[in-house]
Every structure is written in structure tokens, then in C-alpha cells.
Amino acid sequence: MNVKAPLDEVRFLTVAEVATIMRVSKMTVYRMVHSGVLPAIRVGRSYRVPERAVHDYLREAFVEAG
């Protein structure tokens, strides 16, 4: 994440929510987390991804057509 927000302002998303936003499978999100492409924290047995990290990834991955 480029901008450090106070922890109480950080919104965390579940893997399922990230998959929906990115229009990919949950397995793809898990692969991105495990490979370090998307930062995440572990809560019990599940992962939470900062919403800002998802938006940053999509912004950086955007490719202009043509």
C-alpha cells in the first residue's frame, strides 16, 4: 500500500469480496496472497485484504487498449 492510513480507517475485505470485485475466482485471490502480489493479514484460518491494496493493484494492472 502506498498511503499509510490509521488502522481504524483501514477497511478489510474477505477473499470472496476481493474475488467479486476483481471478477476472478477465490483460488486466484488466494494465489495472489500467497505469492505476495496482494498483501493480507491472517485472521484465524481466513485472510483479510486491505481494500486499498485491491484498488492499488487494479490501478497498476490497468492496460490501455489500442
Side-chain angles (χ1 to χ4, degrees), residues 11-24 26 29 47-49 51 54:
R11 180 160 185 257
F12 290 98
L13 302 173
T14 64
V15 168
E17 290 171 326
V18 174
T20 299
I21 290 168
M22 296 179 69
R23 305 284 200 275
V24 297
K26 290 192 299 184
V29 176
Y47 288 94
R48 296 293 185 269
V49 179
E51 184 177 38
V54 175

Side-chain angles (χ1 to χ4, degrees), residues 1-65:
M1 290 186 344
N2 297 341
V3 178
K4 300 284 184 190
L7 200 52
D8 61 345
E9 294 178 13
V10 177
R11 180 160 185 257
F12 290 98
L13 302 173
T14 64
V15 168
E17 290 171 326
V18 174
T20 299
I21 290 168
M22 296 179 69
R23 305 284 200 275
V24 297
S25 70
K26 290 192 299 184
M27 185 55 67
T28 297
V29 176
Y30 281 118
R31 284 189 197 111
M32 294 173 77
V33 167
H34 288 291
S35 68
V37 173
L38 273 180
I41 62 168
R42 187 134 188 185
V43 179
R45 294 179 59 203
S46 61
Y47 288 94
R48 296 293 185 269
V49 179
E51 184 177 38
R52 168 71 51 188
V54 175
H55 293 294
D56 289 347
Y57 173 81
L58 291 174
R59 190 176 308 104
E60 291 170 13
F62 183 78
V63 176
E64 296 256 353

